[in-house]
Amino acid sequence: MIYKLPKILIIFLFAGLISCQNNENKSDSETDILPAEEKKDELNSPDRPMPRSYMLARMREDDELTAFTEEFERSGLEEEFKGKEGIYTIFAPSNAAYDRIPARQMNPDNDSLRSNANLMRYYMVEGEMTVDYLRERIRASENDRYEFRTALGEKLWASLEGDKIVLTDVLGNKASIVTSNMDEYYGVYHIIDNVLQPGENGE
């Protein structure tokens, strides 16, 4: 004898089965969404350093740039970096460059906050300029000399001497790029072997 379930019981069981499936689908959906939300929260965390300040933090960790980061701090420009986004390229003289050609000797007004801030701006270029980018621009330019403007508005020229990329300032001083460090999110900084000068307009 075959036992038949009452219709009302069958309806109840069917409804329960559908409810379980909906819950499983909801759980799967939440599993897909939550990691993305957590990642978004992490990226927007107020404790996460902004790009510009992160760049300076990276440079402070470089033993070759203690003199440059001290000059940068003394210039007062660091306050402009806090809380602001933006990718920059920085050409930073090494400690040996400052030891060999003291900034005070090259710029008598270096004690003034304004002249020191302008000097630091001369080492900065808005946007990302990698070594490969500079090489391409040099080779594509007239006379193999790529001209660009810094954050100060003054010119720098990049050229190749053998395998080295050489920068020339408006006064004719030259500096070679020794090493480069790049972060895809925050920009790039190059260590150079000489102290450059922006000239009269940058004093």
Side-chain angles (χ1 to χ4, degrees):
M1 180 178 180
I2 299 176
Y3 182 77
K4 294 183 179 181
L5 293 172
K7 288 184 178 180
I8 189 169
L9 182 57
I10 293 174
I11 293 172
F12 178 76
L13 291 173
F14 183 71
L17 179 61
I18 292 175
S19 176
C20 289
Q21 289 177 341
N22 288 338
N23 287 337
E24 288 179 4
N25 292 336
K26 183 177 181 181
S27 296
D28 290 342
S29 176
E30 288 177 349
T31 301
D32 291 337
I33 292 173
L34 284 175
E37 291 298 321
E38 289 173 1
K39 185 176 181 181
K40 182 179 179 181
D41 291 342
E42 180 182 349
L43 292 175
N44 292 334
S45 171
D47 297 328
R48 182 173 178 266
M50 302 301 284
R52 293 184 182 182
S53 58
Y54 181 85
M55 170 74 81
L56 293 176
R58 286 280 302 273
M59 294 177 74
R60 283 196 184 93
E61 294 173 358
D62 197 315
D63 293 337
E64 291 295 314
L65 297 178
T66 54
F68 178 81
T69 53
E70 287 174 4
E71 287 292 310
F72 200 98
E73 183 177 357
R74 200 160 64 88
S75 73
L77 282 183
E78 191 167 355
E79 292 300 316
E80 295 183 14
F81 269 46
K82 291 181 179 179
K84 293 182 180 179
E85 294 185 354
I87 293 178
Y88 272 86
T89 297
I90 299 179
F91 300 98
S94 64
N95 292 339
Y98 277 104
D99 290 341
R100 186 167 58 254
I101 307 176
R104 290 178 182 275
Q105 177 181 328
M106 296 186 69
N107 186 354
D109 297 326
N110 201 51
D111 282 333
S112 74
L113 187 63
R114 178 175 172 273
S115 64
N116 198 29
N118 284 343
L119 180 58
M120 294 297 105
R121 286 191 180 96
Y122 192 55
Y123 293 125
M124 300 165 56
V125 179
E126 190 170 357
E128 189 175 272
M129 300 178 71
T130 64
V131 167
D132 289 340
Y133 173 89
L134 287 170
R135 290 185 189 278
E136 289 175 3
R137 292 293 180 175
I138 292 169
R139 288 167 180 155
S141 64
E142 295 183 7
N143 301 322
D144 295 325
R145 200 164 185 252
Y146 173 51
E147 177 183 298
F148 59 94
R149 289 189 180 274
T150 68
L152 181 61
E154 293 277 333
K155 295 178 181 179
L156 273 178
W157 291 267
S159 58
L160 288 173
E161 292 186 5
D163 292 332
K164 289 185 178 181
I165 296 177
V166 177
L167 303 176
T168 304
D169 65 20
V170 295
L171 300 179
N173 300 306
K174 293 186 176 183
S176 298
I177 293 178
V178 180
T179 58
S180 298
N181 295 273
M182 184 182 71
D183 188 295
E184 62 178 312
Y185 297 109
Y186 302 103
V188 57
Y189 69 88
H190 306 281
I191 299 178
I192 58 178
D193 63 359
N194 198 7
V195 177
L196 300 174
Q197 291 292 306
E200 293 181 2
N201 293 333
E203 292 181 356

